Amino acid sequence: GLTDPYDICQDLMKNPDVEYAEPMYRRYAYDFTPNDQNISKQYFLDNIKAYAAWDETKGDKTMIIGIVDSGVEWNHPDLAANIWANTIEKVANGLDEDGNGKIDDYRGWDLVGNVTSTQIYQGKFQEDNDPKPISTAVDHGTHVAGCASAVTNNGLGIAGIGFNCVLLPVKCSADNANVQGIWRGYEGIAYAAKCGAKVINCSWGGSGRSVSEQQIIDQITADGVLIVVAAGNDGKNIDMGSQFPAAYDNVLCVGATYQSNKATSFTNYGYKTTVYAPGSGIFSTVPGST
């Protein structure tokens, strides 16, 4: 077996001919600064000590972040290299190789598709069966994805916090921008977990507590997945149960701050809010390769 270098040093020090003995320590460069062209517009990297964090770890491809949202422009030049690839599925062959009921889901999944408000309220959710879980009409999911893990140190765009971490797009909004809302979000959370996501981001919410939603969160959390949710932008105390999933148990609930690190005027708050992070004036990726 391996011997602790400290023990070896102590033994050597017992020899009167040895002046001193000590291990060789591993050192690190301080505050790695990526070369992304718009990094100067990302004030929040300083606020959250991202540069110091990158000295510790730059993430890796085994860390999958599920972006359960309005879809992600997965071929965006500042996202593409970090987008999840389902290695079991063959591209666009019309077969379900991994047996999860989703055909050709090699880049994630679209749980809602091109539906109208009437169809949604009638419960007629049309899954696109489309390996491109994106709606260019809504930029929210692509913006969130860039925050989480845009490709960093690639000489263009922005620096994503996750650096080398992988993004799994799960689209839960309609293609039509006039049809507001996130639908089937908890099915999206479950899908992301089954695909191996270790962190699942949910920057959405609304009123109404659900036993089934809490059960989904509890089960996925018990399996070792971290579910990160937005506190919400209503300026309310969520402790009384005004906002979900923010007020559910077993989630990491995030409130918003200004560049000054003070809570924004719009953020929800309360004991259920686990942490606050920059949430105003955030420069990130949006559809259209920009």
Side-chain angles (χ1 to χ4, degrees):
L2 297 175
T3 304
D4 191 316
Y6 287 97
D7 293 337
I8 296 174
C9 291
Q10 285 186 331
D11 289 341
L12 288 170
M13 289 290 286
K14 295 174 183 177
N15 186 332
D17 294 329
V18 176
E19 182 176 353
Y20 60 86
E22 55 190 19
M24 179 185 294
Y25 296 101
R26 182 178 181 180
R27 305 302 188 190
Y28 299 88
Y30 286 124
D31 290 3
F32 171 82
T33 302
N35 62 10
D36 303 86
Q37 64 186 161
N38 288 312
I39 199 168
S40 62
K41 298 180 181 180
Q42 296 180 270
Y43 76 84
F44 48 88
L45 297 176
D46 284 313
N47 291 51
I48 66 171
K49 304 292 190 293
Y51 300 101
W54 288 328
D55 286 337
E56 298 295 327
T57 178
K58 295 179 178 64
D60 63 66
K61 297 304 181 187
T62 65
M63 180 56 66
I64 301 172
I65 305 171
I67 305 296
V68 179
D69 211 287
S70 63
V72 176
E73 186 177 70
W74 58 271
N75 57 355
H76 190 293
D78 210 17
L79 298 175
N82 280 355
I83 296 293
W84 177 76
N86 186 348
T87 57
I88 301 175
E89 288 281 352
K90 304 297 189 296
V91 176
N93 66 355
L95 299 176
D96 181 18
E97 282 93 349
D98 60 3
N100 67 354
K102 314 296 184 187
I103 296 173
D104 296 333
D105 61 328
Y106 57 90
R107 293 296 188 195
W109 196 248
D110 186 345
L111 279 159
V112 178
N114 187 21
V115 294
T116 66
S117 296
T118 300
Q119 288 173 317
I120 282 181
Y121 286 110
Q122 289 176 346
K124 297 177 180 178
F125 291 94
Q126 173 190 338
E127 296 188 16
D128 270 2
N129 223 27
D130 187 344
K132 304 181 186 68
I134 174 179
S135 169
T136 56
V138 184
D139 63 10
H140 191 266
T142 300
H143 192 272
V144 168
C147 295
S149 196
V151 181
T152 302
N153 203 40
N154 63 344
L156 57 87
I158 62 167
I161 309 305
F163 210 112
N164 291 318
C165 295
V166 171
L167 298 164
L168 168 58
V170 185
K171 179 174 169 292
C172 296
S173 71
D175 293 350
N176 187 346
N178 294 324
V179 182
Q180 298 293 315
I182 294 291
W183 309 88
R184 306 179 77 169
Y186 292 85
E187 289 181 58
I189 292 172
Y191 170 80
K194 288 180 181 178
C195 290
K198 300 300 182 185
V199 177
I200 299 175
N201 189 84
C202 305
S203 292
W204 42 265
S207 60
R209 182 188 295 272
S210 163
V211 173
S212 63
E213 290 174 354
Q214 180 68 77
Q215 287 179 340
I216 290 170
I217 289 171
D218 291 346
Q219 181 58 60
I220 291 172
T221 302
D223 291 337
V225 179
L226 175 64
I227 299 176
V228 183
V229 307
N233 302 331
D234 308 303
K236 296 179 180 178
N237 185 326
I238 62 173
D239 291 336
M240 301 306 292
S242 62
Q243 193 81 359
F244 299 94
Y248 284 137
D249 296 331
N250 295 321
V251 298
L252 177 65
C253 178
V254 185
T257 60
Y258 293 120
Q259 186 170 356
S260 64
N261 290 327
K262 295 184 181 298
T264 65
S265 58
F266 57 80
T267 188
N268 290 341
Y269 56 91
Y271 288 110
K272 288 280 189 179
T273 308
T274 320
V275 66
Y276 287 82
S280 175
I282 305 299
F283 191 80
S284 186
T285 49
V286 292
S289 298
T290 187

